[in-house]
Amino acid sequence: MPDILVFDIGGTYVKHGIVNEEAKMKKSDKYRTPETLEELIHSIRQIWDKSGAVQGAAVSAPGAVGEDGVIYGTSALPYLHGPNIKAAVQTSLGCPVYLENDANCAAYAEVWNGAGADRENIIVMTIGTGIGGAVIKNRELHKGAHLPAGSLDIC
């Protein structure tokens, strides 16, 4: 797996870094979360332009992330909900982009190379600007019929 540029969009900061195939963060930084979607996309592009040889991007964000690239529900960042965030980032970067709920990303990380690496089933709780959660059943993310199964979504 090639290096990937990762972004975690939070209510206060956007954290970003480059992750390698061993789940090691090669470098990381953060900046204040922009106030508009246009500023967010622009800032992601600026980081991409400085990132060097990465093969794609992964973005974690608050809310119920649909397979269509739209973030449903509500969060501390209302501008994320409604537009197709995945398409906007892909268009800006010109590369493959993976978009997922932030707590779901934390759960994926735990089963990939964290405390849940040797477990079949885990529950993850995230605490930041909001509180989130995710459920892994049989080593697969459980989203339920309407996306937010396991989600605590308190903000």
Side-chain angles (χ1 to χ4, degrees):
M1 180 174 105
D3 292 349
I4 302 294
L5 182 60
V6 295
F7 293 89
D8 175 35
I9 303 169
T12 306
Y13 291 101
V14 175
K15 293 158 286 292
H16 59 92
I18 297 174
V19 176
N20 68 16
E21 63 187 25
E22 289 87 34
K24 302 297 181 209
M25 186 74 71
K26 293 172 77 173
K27 62 171 143 174
S28 64
D29 203 353
K30 67 180 180 179
Y31 58 93
R32 299 275 312 160
T33 302
E35 294 187 18
T36 68
L37 180 58
E38 293 76 22
E39 291 171 358
L40 176 67
I41 299 300
H42 179 73
S43 67
I44 288 172
R45 178 59 199 224
Q46 286 182 311
I47 301 299
W48 173 264
D49 289 344
K50 297 175 187 173
S51 65
V54 295
Q55 299 299 309
V59 178
S60 71
V65 177
E67 290 184 23
D68 57 0
V70 174
I71 302 174
Y72 299 95
T74 61
S75 73
L77 301 171
Y79 64 78
L80 290 178
H81 305 280
N84 191 317
I85 302 299
K86 180 177 179 178
V89 175
Q90 277 184 174
T91 298
S92 178
L93 303 184
C95 74
V97 171
Y98 181 78
L99 174 68
E100 184 56 82
N101 168 271
D102 49 6
N104 291 348
C105 287
Y108 278 138
E110 290 301 331
V111 297
W112 177 29
N113 197 22
D118 62 345
R119 306 283 182 194
E120 292 293 312
N121 305 301
I122 67 169
I123 296 173
V124 171
M125 178 182 216
T126 58
I127 302 172
T129 303
I131 297 174
V135 174
I136 300 285
K137 290 178 14 180
N138 300 318
R139 298 195 60 79
E140 292 187 16
L141 180 66
H142 178 63
K143 287 189 174 186
H146 303 287
L147 298 177
S151 176
L152 301 173
D153 286 343
I154 301 170
C155 63

